Every structure is written in C-alpha cells, then in structure tokens.
Amino acid sequence: MNALKADGRKLPPYKELREQYAQISEEKDRLYQEYRKLQQKVKQHENVRANLEQLIRPEQKEKRRNRSRQEDRYK
C-alpha cells in the first residue's frame, strides 16, 4: 500500500479489497483441502511401498542364500 501511495496512485476502494480478500481466502481454503487429500494419498502410498518392501526383502534374502549355496557347491 505504501508503494501505491509513493507512486501517487490511489488505493482501491475498501469494498473491492474485501472482495479480493474473500476470493483469495476461499481459494486458499480450497487449495489447502486439496493439499491435505494429496498428503493423505502420499502417506497411503508410502505405507504400501513399505509393506511391499517388507514382503520382497525376505524373498531377496532367500534368493541370495540359494545363490551362495549353489556357488559353494560348484567350488
């Protein structure tokens, strides 16, 4: 506002400022709700990934054991 005054321009009417503020506030609320939903989805995906890793890791360990056993047989 001080920049507007310094340039010699008039401030917008109070009613116009209130309307702009209301629009911006509504958009902020909408975007925040969308952000929260996306945040929940990310958390769900992270849980799924962690569960899959727990399931896969024991299989990978077993495969490594089998490989090392087979290598030991051929030595």
Side-chain angles (χ1 to χ4, degrees):
M1 286 199 217
N2 289 335
L4 290 174
K5 286 181 182 180
D7 292 342
R9 294 185 284 175
K10 287 186 174 184
L11 294 175
Y14 180 75
K15 184 178 179 181
E16 186 180 315
L17 291 175
R18 294 284 297 181
E19 289 172 359
Q20 286 178 354
Y21 179 82
Q23 289 173 351
I24 291 170
S25 181
E26 287 174 11
E27 184 180 7
K28 179 194 70 120
D29 292 342
R30 182 185 57 78
L31 290 172
Y32 188 74
Q33 289 174 0
E34 185 179 338
Y35 168 75
R36 296 292 288 169
K37 288 178 185 177
L38 291 172
Q39 200 173 34
Q40 288 174 349
K41 283 185 180 181
V42 166
K43 192 171 185 177
Q44 289 173 347
H45 288 228
E46 287 175 349
N47 286 338
V48 168
R49 181 185 52 83
N51 291 339
L52 288 174
E53 284 181 357
Q54 287 179 352
L55 292 172
I56 291 171
R57 283 185 182 163
E59 291 176 5
Q60 288 176 346
K61 288 180 183 179
E62 186 64 32
K63 286 180 183 178
R64 283 189 220 135
R65 285 183 197 154
N66 289 339
R67 284 185 201 154
S68 63
R69 287 180 189 161
Q70 288 176 355
E71 290 173 0
D72 289 342
R73 289 182 192 166
Y74 293 118
K75 287 184 180 181

